[in-house]
Amino acid sequence: MDVLLSITLFVAAGCVFVLAAMVAGRLVRPDVPMPEKGLPYECGEPAIGSSWVQFDLRFYVVALVFLVFDVEIALFYPWAVLWGSAPELALLLGMDAFDLRVAALLDLLFFFAVLVVGFAYLWRFGYLDWVRSAATTSLRAS
């Protein structure tokens, strides 16, 4: 019960800090309306034409694939650190170090298998092909 109370207080304090910062920002910032503030702006260049341009979804797919594999690399490092300190951790848990390493290896292989299946799916359906030929696109459409 103490853990639940601690988590609840932590989340509540976090929400209070965020709301306090937003209210303070609202009260402190100047309110000077100008027509230039409503214009779309990117990379220092004024917008030409309509801002309702349809982007290719492959940009988003590449970004999501990057995030997935970036998170994978971020999770491999702590796993490797714990793999190296398995004997000390096994003593704390009352286990054999070999059994702990086998369990950690199976967990990592399962995690990696999920990522490989996702990568194979993206590769199979051509989501990783940056430039698709017209023949490939028309064959997949039919």
Side-chain angles (χ1 to χ4, degrees):
M1 193 64 175
D2 291 336
V3 173
L4 184 61
L5 180 63
S6 299
I7 291 172
T8 305
L9 288 175
F10 181 76
V11 169
C15 290
V16 166
F17 276 116
V18 169
L19 289 175
M22 291 176 68
V23 168
R26 176 80 172 142
L27 294 175
V28 173
R29 72 174 176 246
D31 186 24
V32 184
M34 296 175 64
E36 289 84 13
K37 288 184 178 181
L39 295 176
Y41 176 80
E42 184 169 340
C43 301
E45 295 292 325
I48 298 172
S50 173
S51 62
W52 292 99
V53 177
Q54 211 167 18
F55 284 98
D56 195 350
L57 288 179
R58 287 178 284 183
F59 291 114
Y60 300 109
V61 170
V62 168
L64 288 174
V65 168
F66 169 76
L67 285 175
V68 165
F69 286 102
D70 191 43
V71 168
E72 173 193 1
I73 296 301
L75 291 177
F76 276 158
Y77 180 74
W79 179 87
V81 169
L82 289 177
W83 177 271
S85 62
E88 296 88 14
L89 187 59
L91 283 175
L92 289 173
L93 296 174
M95 296 177 64
D96 184 33
F98 179 76
D99 293 338
L100 183 62
R101 283 188 170 162
V102 167
L105 183 63
L106 291 176
D107 287 343
L108 181 75
L109 289 176
F110 177 77
F111 175 69
F112 191 69
V114 169
L115 289 173
V116 167
V117 167
F119 183 72
Y121 175 82
L122 291 172
W123 193 350
R124 164 67 177 92
F125 290 104
Y127 292 117
L128 298 177
D129 297 335
W130 190 252
V131 178
R132 295 184 191 177
S133 67
T136 308
T137 307
S138 64
L139 286 176
R140 287 196 178 127
S142 58

